[in-house]
Amino acid sequence: MPPKIQQSKAAKAAAAMAGGKKSKKKWSKGKNAKDKAQHAVILDQEKYDRIMKDVPTFRYVSVSVLVDRLKIGGSMARVALRQLEREGIIKPVLNHSKQQIYTRASASE
C-alpha cells in the first residue's frame, strides 16, 4: 500500500465542512387530514321519511348507527330515537346516560 498523503489544513477544513451537508431524516410524512363529515343538522321531510322507513328494519339501533347510516347529526339522532320509542317503533335494550341502545319493537316479543 502506498503511504497516505498528508492533507493541508485548508483541505481538512473543507472536508469537515462538506461532511455535514446531508439533510436530516424527516420522520413525519405530514398529516393526512380526514375529511369533515357533512351530516344534516336540520330535519326535513325527506330525512324524516327515511328515518321512519329504515330504522324499524335495523336490528341494533343507537345514536352512532343513525349518524353513520343516515348521515344525520348526533343531536338529531337522539331526538329521533326518543320519538321512535314514544311511538313504539323501537324498544330500549340499555338506557345509560352516555349510550342508549334500542332494538326493533317487533323482534323477539
Side-chain angles (χ1 to χ4, degrees):
M1 261 200 323
K4 217 171 192 183
I5 301 169
Q6 186 71 29
Q7 291 182 332
S8 67
K9 270 189 170 179
K12 284 182 185 177
M17 292 297 285
K21 292 289 185 196
K22 188 176 179 188
S23 64
K24 283 188 158 185
K25 177 162 174 54
K26 285 185 98 173
W27 292 101
S28 173
K29 300 286 188 223
K31 291 196 173 190
N32 292 334
K34 187 178 175 187
D35 292 337
K36 191 161 174 66
Q38 295 294 320
H39 293 320
V41 293
I42 298 174
L43 187 63
D44 56 354
Q45 190 62 42
E46 178 190 336
K47 283 286 182 193
Y48 178 78
D49 293 339
R50 185 146 179 245
I51 289 170
M52 290 305 193
K53 181 177 150 268
D54 290 350
V55 173
T57 64
F58 296 164
R59 189 177 181 93
Y60 171 87
V61 185
S62 69
V63 173
S64 55
V65 168
L66 294 185
V67 167
D68 192 42
R69 293 188 191 174
L70 302 177
K71 304 293 184 234
I72 60 176
S75 59
M76 196 190 326
R78 285 188 291 275
V79 171
L81 287 176
R82 285 194 295 269
Q83 178 69 26
L84 291 166
E85 184 184 5
R86 270 198 302 272
E87 293 179 11
I89 296 172
I90 58 176
K91 63 179 184 177
V93 174
L94 175 87
N95 206 350
H96 190 266
S97 63
K98 304 288 185 233
Q99 178 77 28
Q100 292 82 29
I101 298 174
Y102 298 90
T103 188
R104 55 188 174 207
S106 61
S108 68
E109 278 191 52

